[in-house]
Amino acid sequence: VQKLVAANATPTQIVMSLYLSTLSRNPSASELAAGVALFASPPNGETKAQVAEDVQFALLNKLDFVYNY
């Protein structure tokens, strides 16, 4: 997450990279849209880094990760 934020990656690039590195697959269209939407209106005024960390945490708790990895 820190490397993506430091490289000034776009929200789309961040979501795509996190899905690939965590679940070894690309996000579906709806997953990508939901992830990018978090960056557009961050909850509680979170920073870009905090939103990216939230996405990463959600992916680590996703059933795909828990049961397949």
Side-chain angles (χ1 to χ4, degrees):
V1 170
Q2 291 176 352
K3 288 181 182 180
L4 291 168
V5 173
N8 204 24
T10 66
T12 301
Q13 291 171 326
I14 291 172
V15 173
M16 294 286 289
S17 294
L18 291 178
Y19 265 84
L20 283 172
S21 64
T22 306
L23 301 178
S24 299
R25 67 173 177 84
N26 287 315
S28 67
S30 62
E31 291 169 333
L32 180 60
V36 171
L38 289 172
F39 288 92
S41 57
N44 302 322
E46 292 183 345
T47 65
K48 184 178 182 179
Q50 289 171 319
V51 173
E53 289 171 357
D54 291 346
V55 172
Q56 178 67 74
F57 186 73
L59 292 175
L60 291 173
N61 286 298
K62 195 167 170 39
L63 289 178
D64 294 12
F65 184 82
V66 174
Y67 290 109
N68 294 331
Y69 305 98

